[in-house]
Amino acid sequence: MNGTLNKVLLIGHLGDDVKIHYFEGGNCIGRFPLATNEVYINKQTNEKITSTEWHNLVVRNKAAEICEKYLSKGDKIYVEGRIKSRQWQAEDGTTKYTTEIQVTEFTFLTTKKELDHNKQHFSAVAEPAKPNYDIQNVPGPDTDLPF
C-alpha cells in the first residue's frame, strides 16, 4: 500500500455542551470534548479500573449547528474523522499545541433530550390492565375447534 490513512472512529460521551463560534461570511465551528472509556481488571488486586481518554472534537458549519442544537453534556455519539494537530502563539508569546479530531461523519446514539422525553412519556402512560381469565371458561381438548 503506497498511500496513507488518517481515520478515527470514536464512540463516547460529551464532556461539555457544544461551543460554537461564527466567522464573518456565515461559516462556523463547533468544539466539544468527548470521553472514551477503557475498563479492565487489575490482575494483582482484582479491582475494576476505568481509564478515560479525552478527545477534542471539531465540527464545521451545518454539522456544528446540528450538534449545538441537539447535543448536550453526557450525550453519547459516534463520530468519524481525522486527527489534526495545530499550533499557535498565545498572548504571552508561548507556542501552544493541540491535537483535535476533525469530525466528518457523526451519529447521535443517545441524547439527554431524548432520554428525558422517554422518561416523561413512560411515566405518563398508565400500566395496562392485566386480563382476568376465568380458568373454568377455557375450552378443553374435547371442544370442537373451527379449524
Side-chain angles (χ1 to χ4, degrees):
M1 178 178 194
N2 291 334
T4 63
L5 178 66
N6 181 353
K7 184 161 183 116
V8 176
L9 307 173
L10 297 170
I11 296 176
H13 294 274
L14 272 73
D16 198 0
D17 293 338
V18 178
K19 306 290 191 247
I20 198 161
H21 177 77
Y22 288 92
F23 300 102
E24 288 182 25
N27 291 335
C28 64
I29 190 168
R31 298 179 185 278
F32 58 94
L34 187 79
T36 56
N37 297 321
E38 178 185 6
V39 179
Y40 61 92
I41 303 295
N42 182 321
K43 291 182 181 179
Q44 295 173 343
T45 64
N46 271 349
E47 180 184 6
K48 182 175 153 181
I49 308 292
T50 301
S51 174
T52 302
E53 186 71 32
W54 288 97
H55 313 273
N56 297 315
L57 272 60
V58 176
V59 287
R60 297 185 183 283
N61 300 321
K62 189 67 174 170
E65 292 172 340
I66 290 169
C67 288
E68 181 191 39
K69 181 175 181 180
Y70 294 105
L71 292 175
S72 56
K73 183 177 179 178
D75 291 345
K76 191 173 188 180
I77 186 173
Y78 165 83
V79 298
E80 292 183 24
R82 62 184 182 278
I83 298 173
K84 177 81 172 176
S85 297
R86 60 186 181 87
Q87 67 182 41
W88 71 97
Q89 293 294 320
E91 289 181 12
D92 63 2
T94 60
T95 302
K96 301 287 185 176
Y97 300 89
T98 189
T99 301
E100 301 169 325
I101 307 301
Q102 302 284 325
V103 176
T104 56
E105 302 284 330
F106 59 87
T107 301
F108 302 156
L109 300 178
T110 59
T111 63
K112 288 204 185 231
K113 294 171 188 170
E114 174 186 296
L115 294 174
D116 290 344
H117 172 73
N118 288 342
K119 285 179 188 174
Q120 290 172 357
H121 174 71
F122 289 127
S123 65
V125 175
E127 187 176 318
K130 294 180 182 172
N132 186 7
Y133 295 110
D134 183 355
I135 194 70
Q136 294 174 358
N137 292 331
V138 175
D142 58 343
T143 306
D144 290 326
L145 297 175
F147 52 89

